[in-house]
Amino acid sequence: MTKLILSTGNIVSGGPSIIRKPGAYRSNLELTNSLRSNFLAAQQDYAPEDDVESAADEEGIPDANGTSNGANGLSPAETEHAASNKLAPEFFWTAREGDVIFVPRIDWSAAGLQEEATQYDITVKIFFLPNTSPAERSQYAKEALDLVLKELQVLEINLLVVSFPGMSFEGDCSWEADKQNAHQGNDEEEFATWPAIEDLQRRRLVKKLGIAEFGSEKLGRFLKRVQIRPSVNQINIKNCCDVPPPLIKLAKAEGIELLVHSDTTDILSKGTLRELLGPGLQGAGILADPGSETSKGLKGELTPQWVVKYTAVVRDRGVIENKGYFASAGLAE
């Protein structure tokens, strides 16, 4: 099984931006548009020219760790292969480390925040996607957080929010939305996943834990069975206008902060992922065309595993300095 790690880089352009209230820009569109933009930028940065070796030498192309393998940052075999293919082969802007392919390649030497870590409020939200088991989620949570810590060059984050699949607030009114929410998701899988999340806090990688889209009934059941309680509950009320009164009452009694957000739980579908990486007009050309025997690229069944969103806010100025996404997918070749 090959793992693909997709990244947007820092999507805050033109310097830090002022924090604004959640708007209509859905997180799934922000993710896909930002990935496409980062793919295109990397393809342009690493695209081979007629003389691949001299061009790469001038640019100092790094390997996956941000260091050079040779004068041009590519092994002799890679340089020879590149010279024979002038269509910017995928490895020029991606990087492989064992069974993991980074799309695009990441220059970790350029990672980090501008100020000391203590000057930031760092929030990370992991989206567990459908058809993933609690055991897999335990691994995914660690993978995702490790990438964010490496990207921001910090040892700890302030808040980790967990989004489980199949959860929402939808209905004609807040009471109806809260009632429907009580039967969404999968309680047993959510309970089985949580100990791995608690462990991240015990290891002092996370200061506070949070959940998303838990109505009053689900939250009540959840609190009775977990050891470390969430401090935050994020809810998206775009379809029901108001926070359900029963949820307000329970959260107040249990000391849980309710935060409104505009993220979507269906943040990365299998179809969208294949379109992003495929050979089409909107694709990155990483995957081969399954309908063509001569198409170049990776072949196999592609399955999205998780998405993580991170935001670093300069605490005393209230501005977002760094924001981005990582996403993971498995490729069964």
Side-chain angles (χ1 to χ4, degrees), residues 146-159:
D146 283 347
L147 284 168
V148 173
L149 295 176
K150 189 173 183 179
E151 173 66 21
L152 300 181
Q153 295 291 291
V154 296
L155 300 177
E156 183 184 45
I157 64 168
N158 299 86
L159 173 64

